[in-house]
Amino acid sequence: MTQASTTAPIDPISLDIIQNALVNARNEMDSVLKRISLSPVIREQNDAFPMICNQRGQMVVGQFGSYIPGVVEQYMDDIHEGDIFVWNDPYACKGSISHNNDWCVMMPIFHQGVLVGYSSMFGHMIDVGGKVPGSMPFDARSIWEEGLRIPPIKIYDKGKLNDAVLAIMLNNSRTPHSNRSDLMALIAGCKVAAKRVSELCDRFGRDTYLGACDLLLARTHAAMKALIEKYIPHTPVSFTDYVDDDGRGNGPFRMTLSIYRRGDKAVFDWTGTADQAEGPINFMIHEGLCKLFFGIYMIMAFDPEMLFNEGFYDLFEIVLPEGSLLNPRFPAPLGNRLNTHTRFFDCQAGALGQQAPHLSMAAGYGTSPHFIFSGHDGENRYFQLMELLFGGVPGRPRGDGLDGHAWWPLFSATPIEYIENYYPVVVESYRPIRDSGGAGLHKGGAGIEKIYHLLEAGEVSIHDDRETVPPWGINGGLYGGTSSKWLHRAGAAAPERIPSKIDNLKVQPGDRILFRTAGSGGWGDPLDRAPALVARDVADDITSREKALRDYGVTLGEDGSADIAATEALRARMRQSRGAPAPFSFGFEPAQAAE
């Protein structure tokens, strides 16, 4: 395998053209994927992540990175034009993907016989075997219960499909047709990226293209170095948040992050985080992937115009204690690791917010809620609906949080028309939850309530969190609402509460599932929020009159408008009684947490 050198000079205009061409190619990967895939999680909700890398496996554009070198080193010189690799085992790829449902595809890119890069993409398969539909058992005690594990292997060898490997992968899934389509969509996305890179090499010359990739990495490196000098202190700042439980009755689980600067490097230290869980909330994270998560947060919080790539890798140092929730030992279960993964971002916000309160944000819904409904319809055809739900995105310096929105910017809700057309379900209601957004100068986004009316008998699985530990508020903002789940049996007078993590819940035609996600924390003192905005929130049924009075100190007249004089008087009394607002509002007593 011959790798290209990178010695050619490049002018600024060509550099910008190549950068934007790569960004467009990365977006085209998504477009191709959506046109070919079948599962709603990928086709409708965009649960897939592309990237384009240089010849050393460094991500130049994309959403995730870090894992190419770890796979390449397993094959060394046995990488050829036409090869395409696939894998899903987190332990066999050092945590580059973090549970078995994510199938990852990697394709080396050659130009005139010389390796110039890699394209890669992974996406969530709705079923990869295991003991429950959806392959994410809430009570798993080892990864052996979570479906088929595939180490990095060639699905195409010099352009020839390995039918035996594909047959094994599909034979172990309850949804083989969907999985085949989604896998081929991932491969097609990688192929279109390879074509676009080859075209750039033809247009500008191979050495110029590779030199541009190096300059794009260097540009990000310089920009991140400036952010570190400005926002990362020499004195450590620490923050602790909690995951409710692991599905097996254990928890809450502590996640502690300390951030500080050592020379030019930012150190992110998870020492103090709880030991790995018995249940499947462990997050097996690659050190490089951890760097990317910190990097994207800093980019979005402090410099959104910066190109997201791996150029800043050597500026970050990561400490992941072995045997902890974030670095579990094999064969710890990993299926529901997103309960931990998304709390990862809340810890970043809490720690970095202490250094730059004016740029901080509160905690969000902090998980990735799943609803899975499976069974056989009246014609004995198997169905398996899987949907990701969203919650409150927190209040932030620029304004209110978003209601019922995803943490991942490109994710979207499954259209109700799609669900009702392809599955025996009617969605009776889909609305924000009143009072679930924490009060603040900028209020937290609301959680959502979705009511599924089930038309066939079957089984339901639910995975969620933030039922016990609320999303905290910051800079005087108050904590947001927690999640809850309810089953309303056909003919029953009232619904019954069900756990936030459950599998094999038997349901009958006419039953309803009420799925309520968590809200998010508020930002800033709620007594500073404009009374007219509070009145608008009440009129929109996002805030109740009681909350407007209790948390915002806003008195409303019979017509719904704010009584300014009464409001100012009430707020003056509330400020005197309360004193200075607290930097954080948790709504949870840390002493309740397990060590």
Side-chain angles (χ1 to χ4, degrees), residues 1 14 25 41 152 161 176 213 222-223 239 292 329 337 343 356 365 384 398 407 414 454 466 523 528 556 587 589:
M1 181 176 65
S14 296
V41 174
L161 176 65
C213 290
F239 189 81
L292 284 172
R329 298 184 180 92
R337 86 284 184 229
R343 200 73 84 258
Y365 65 102
Q384 185 173 312
R398 66 179 297 177
W407 263 121
T414 306
L454 311 179
R466 285 280 193 214
W523 187 98
D528 291 334
L556 300 175
E589 176 53 56

Short mmCIF file of all heavy atoms in Angstrom, two decimals, residues 1 14 25 41 152 161 176 213 222-223 239 292 329 337 343 356 365 384 398 407 414 454 466 523 528 556 587 589:
data_model
loop_
_atom_site.label_atom_id
_atom_site.label_comp_id
_atom_site.label_asym_id
_atom_site.label_seq_id
_atom_site.Cartn_x
_atom_site.Cartn_y
_atom_site.Cartn_z
N MET A 1 0.86 -1.19 0.00
CA MET A 1 0.00 0.00 0.00
C MET A 1 0.89 1.24 0.00
O MET A 1 1.63 1.49 0.95
CB MET A 1 -0.90 0.00 1.23
CG MET A 1 -1.85 1.19 1.30
SD MET A 1 -2.97 1.06 2.73
CE MET A 1 -1.82 1.17 4.11
N SER A 14 -7.39 28.08 -3.34
CA SER A 14 -7.52 26.64 -3.56
C SER A 14 -7.84 25.91 -2.27
O SER A 14 -8.63 24.96 -2.24
CB SER A 14 -6.23 26.09 -4.17
OG SER A 14 -5.99 26.64 -5.46
N ALA A 25 -18.99 17.09 0.03
CA ALA A 25 -18.93 15.64 -0.14
C ALA A 25 -19.43 14.93 1.11
O ALA A 25 -20.13 13.91 1.02
CB ALA A 25 -17.50 15.22 -0.44
N VAL A 41 -34.87 4.90 11.66
CA VAL A 41 -33.85 5.51 12.51
C VAL A 41 -32.77 6.18 11.66
O VAL A 41 -32.25 7.24 12.02
CB VAL A 41 -33.25 4.46 13.46
CG1 VAL A 41 -32.07 5.03 14.24
CG2 VAL A 41 -34.30 3.95 14.42
N PRO A 152 -13.41 -5.92 12.98
CA PRO A 152 -13.13 -5.35 11.66
C PRO A 152 -12.80 -6.44 10.64
O PRO A 152 -11.88 -7.24 10.83
CB PRO A 152 -11.91 -4.46 11.93
CG PRO A 152 -12.04 -4.08 13.37
CD PRO A 152 -12.59 -5.30 14.03
N LEU A 161 -17.76 -8.70 -3.22
CA LEU A 161 -18.57 -8.82 -2.01
C LEU A 161 -18.31 -10.16 -1.33
O LEU A 161 -18.31 -11.22 -1.98
CB LEU A 161 -20.06 -8.69 -2.35
CG LEU A 161 -21.05 -8.89 -1.19
CD1 LEU A 161 -20.89 -7.80 -0.14
CD2 LEU A 161 -22.48 -8.91 -1.73
N PRO A 176 -33.57 -8.43 8.75
CA PRO A 176 -32.47 -8.56 7.79
C PRO A 176 -32.60 -7.67 6.56
O PRO A 176 -31.60 -7.16 6.05
CB PRO A 176 -32.51 -10.05 7.41
CG PRO A 176 -33.91 -10.48 7.72
CD PRO A 176 -34.32 -9.69 8.91
N CYS A 213 -5.33 19.19 2.97
CA CYS A 213 -5.84 18.48 4.15
C CYS A 213 -4.97 18.80 5.38
O CYS A 213 -5.49 19.04 6.48
CB CYS A 213 -5.86 16.98 3.89
SG CYS A 213 -7.11 16.43 2.71
N ALA A 222 -4.53 25.66 15.33
CA ALA A 222 -4.22 27.02 15.79
C ALA A 222 -5.43 27.66 16.46
O ALA A 222 -5.29 28.33 17.50
CB ALA A 222 -3.75 27.86 14.60
N ALA A 223 -6.61 27.46 15.88
CA ALA A 223 -7.81 28.05 16.46
C ALA A 223 -8.14 27.44 17.81
O ALA A 223 -8.52 28.15 18.76
CB ALA A 223 -8.98 27.88 15.49
N PHE A 239 -16.78 19.24 37.98
CA PHE A 239 -18.25 19.22 38.01
C PHE A 239 -18.69 17.76 38.05
O PHE A 239 -18.07 16.88 37.45
CB PHE A 239 -18.83 19.90 36.77
CG PHE A 239 -20.32 20.10 36.84
CD1 PHE A 239 -20.85 21.17 37.54
CD2 PHE A 239 -21.19 19.20 36.25
CE1 PHE A 239 -22.22 21.36 37.63
CE2 PHE A 239 -22.56 19.38 36.33
CZ PHE A 239 -23.07 20.46 37.03
N LEU A 292 -12.61 14.27 20.54
CA LEU A 292 -13.51 14.91 19.57
C LEU A 292 -14.75 15.46 20.25
O LEU A 292 -15.24 16.54 19.89
CB LEU A 292 -13.89 13.90 18.48
CG LEU A 292 -12.80 13.63 17.45
CD1 LEU A 292 -13.22 12.48 16.54
CD2 LEU A 292 -12.51 14.87 16.63
N ARG A 329 -14.32 -2.71 31.70
CA ARG A 329 -13.59 -3.90 31.30
C ARG A 329 -14.53 -4.89 30.60
O ARG A 329 -15.68 -5.05 30.98
CB ARG A 329 -12.95 -4.57 32.52
CG ARG A 329 -11.92 -3.71 33.25
CD ARG A 329 -11.27 -4.49 34.40
NE ARG A 329 -10.29 -3.67 35.11
CZ ARG A 329 -10.56 -2.94 36.18
NH1 ARG A 329 -11.80 -2.93 36.67
NH2 ARG A 329 -9.62 -2.24 36.78
N ARG A 337 -25.69 2.79 26.49
CA ARG A 337 -24.62 3.70 26.92
C ARG A 337 -24.97 5.15 26.69
O ARG A 337 -24.32 6.05 27.25
CB ARG A 337 -23.31 3.35 26.23
CG ARG A 337 -23.10 3.99 24.85
CD ARG A 337 -23.91 3.31 23.76
NE ARG A 337 -23.61 3.89 22.45
CZ ARG A 337 -24.54 4.29 21.60
NH1 ARG A 337 -25.82 4.20 21.91
NH2 ARG A 337 -24.20 4.78 20.43
N ARG A 343 -24.89 12.51 29.22
CA ARG A 343 -24.54 13.18 30.47
C ARG A 343 -23.10 13.70 30.41
O ARG A 343 -22.74 14.66 31.11
CB ARG A 343 -24.70 12.22 31.65
CG ARG A 343 -24.83 12.91 32.96
CD ARG A 343 -26.19 13.58 33.14
NE ARG A 343 -27.15 12.60 33.62
CZ ARG A 343 -28.06 12.01 32.84
NH1 ARG A 343 -28.15 12.31 31.57
NH2 ARG A 343 -28.91 11.13 33.32
N ALA A 356 -16.36 30.35 32.15
CA ALA A 356 -16.95 31.37 31.26
C ALA A 356 -18.47 31.34 31.42
O ALA A 356 -19.18 30.86 30.56
CB ALA A 356 -16.55 31.10 29.81
N TYR A 365 -31.93 17.31 28.43
CA TYR A 365 -32.66 16.08 28.77
C TYR A 365 -31.73 14.91 28.98
O TYR A 365 -32.10 13.89 29.57
CB TYR A 365 -33.73 15.77 27.74
CG TYR A 365 -33.23 15.44 26.34
CD1 TYR A 365 -33.19 14.13 25.89
CD2 TYR A 365 -32.86 16.44 25.45
CE1 TYR A 365 -32.77 13.82 24.61
CE2 TYR A 365 -32.45 16.16 24.17
CZ TYR A 365 -32.40 14.84 23.75
OH TYR A 365 -31.98 14.55 22.46
N GLN A 384 -41.34 -4.07 13.52
CA GLN A 384 -40.52 -3.59 14.62
C GLN A 384 -40.28 -2.09 14.43
O GLN A 384 -39.44 -1.67 13.63
CB GLN A 384 -39.19 -4.33 14.67
CG GLN A 384 -38.33 -3.95 15.89
CD GLN A 384 -37.09 -4.81 16.03
OE1 GLN A 384 -37.17 -6.03 15.95
NE2 GLN A 384 -35.94 -4.18 16.20
N ARG A 398 -27.59 32.89 24.41
CA ARG A 398 -28.23 33.58 23.30
C ARG A 398 -29.75 33.56 23.36
O ARG A 398 -30.42 34.28 22.62
CB ARG A 398 -27.77 33.00 21.96
CG ARG A 398 -28.20 31.56 21.72
CD ARG A 398 -27.72 31.07 20.37
NE ARG A 398 -28.31 31.84 19.27
CZ ARG A 398 -28.01 31.66 17.99
NH1 ARG A 398 -27.10 30.76 17.64
NH2 ARG A 398 -28.60 32.37 17.06
N TRP A 407 -30.12 16.45 20.81
CA TRP A 407 -28.78 16.94 21.10
C TRP A 407 -27.98 17.03 19.80
O TRP A 407 -27.24 17.98 19.58
CB TRP A 407 -28.07 15.98 22.05
CG TRP A 407 -28.13 16.38 23.48
CD1 TRP A 407 -28.66 15.66 24.52
CD2 TRP A 407 -27.66 17.61 24.08
NE1 TRP A 407 -28.55 16.35 25.71
CE2 TRP A 407 -27.93 17.55 25.46
CE3 TRP A 407 -27.03 18.74 23.58
CZ2 TRP A 407 -27.59 18.56 26.34
CZ3 TRP A 407 -26.69 19.77 24.45
CH2 TRP A 407 -26.97 19.67 25.81
N THR A 414 -39.14 11.31 13.72
CA THR A 414 -39.77 10.52 12.67
C THR A 414 -41.13 11.13 12.34
O THR A 414 -41.95 11.34 13.24
CB THR A 414 -39.98 9.07 13.13
OG1 THR A 414 -38.73 8.53 13.57
CG2 THR A 414 -40.52 8.21 11.99
N LEU A 454 -51.71 1.83 20.29
CA LEU A 454 -51.24 0.60 19.65
C LEU A 454 -52.42 -0.19 19.08
O LEU A 454 -53.43 -0.41 19.76
CB LEU A 454 -50.48 -0.25 20.67
CG LEU A 454 -49.40 0.52 21.46
CD1 LEU A 454 -48.72 -0.40 22.46
CD2 LEU A 454 -48.39 1.15 20.53
N ARG A 466 -32.98 10.48 33.32
CA ARG A 466 -33.44 11.76 33.87
C ARG A 466 -34.85 11.64 34.46
O ARG A 466 -35.63 12.56 34.40
CB ARG A 466 -33.42 12.86 32.80
CG ARG A 466 -32.03 13.39 32.44
CD ARG A 466 -31.52 14.38 33.44
NE ARG A 466 -30.34 15.12 32.99
CZ ARG A 466 -29.36 15.51 33.80
NH1 ARG A 466 -29.41 15.20 35.10
NH2 ARG A 466 -28.33 16.19 33.34
N TRP A 523 -31.36 29.21 32.21
CA TRP A 523 -30.12 29.98 32.25
C TRP A 523 -30.43 31.40 32.73
O TRP A 523 -31.26 32.08 32.14
CB TRP A 523 -29.50 30.03 30.85
CG TRP A 523 -28.13 30.65 30.77
CD1 TRP A 523 -26.94 29.98 30.73
CD2 TRP A 523 -27.79 32.04 30.69
NE1 TRP A 523 -25.88 30.85 30.64
CE2 TRP A 523 -26.38 32.14 30.60
CE3 TRP A 523 -28.54 33.21 30.69
CZ2 TRP A 523 -25.71 33.36 30.52
CZ3 TRP A 523 -27.88 34.44 30.61
CH2 TRP A 523 -26.48 34.50 30.52
N ASP A 528 -35.35 38.11 36.16
CA ASP A 528 -34.95 39.10 35.16
C ASP A 528 -35.64 38.89 33.82
O ASP A 528 -35.46 39.69 32.90
CB ASP A 528 -33.43 39.06 34.95
CG ASP A 528 -32.66 39.57 36.16
OD1 ASP A 528 -33.24 40.37 36.92
OD2 ASP A 528 -31.50 39.15 36.35
N LEU A 556 -50.26 37.84 36.61
CA LEU A 556 -51.02 38.00 35.37
C LEU A 556 -52.43 38.46 35.67
O LEU A 556 -53.07 38.03 36.64
CB LEU A 556 -51.06 36.67 34.60
CG LEU A 556 -49.71 36.09 34.18
CD1 LEU A 556 -49.90 34.72 33.54
CD2 LEU A 556 -48.99 37.02 33.22
N GLY A 587 -31.83 20.41 42.18
CA GLY A 587 -33.06 19.67 42.43
C GLY A 587 -32.83 18.23 42.81
O GLY A 587 -33.70 17.39 42.67
N GLU A 589 -30.28 15.72 45.64
CA GLU A 589 -29.31 15.66 46.73
C GLU A 589 -28.21 14.66 46.39
O GLU A 589 -28.47 13.45 46.31
CB GLU A 589 -30.00 15.24 48.03
CG GLU A 589 -29.06 15.06 49.20
CD GLU A 589 -28.18 16.28 49.42
OE1 GLU A 589 -28.73 17.40 49.59
OE2 GLU A 589 -26.94 16.12 49.40
#
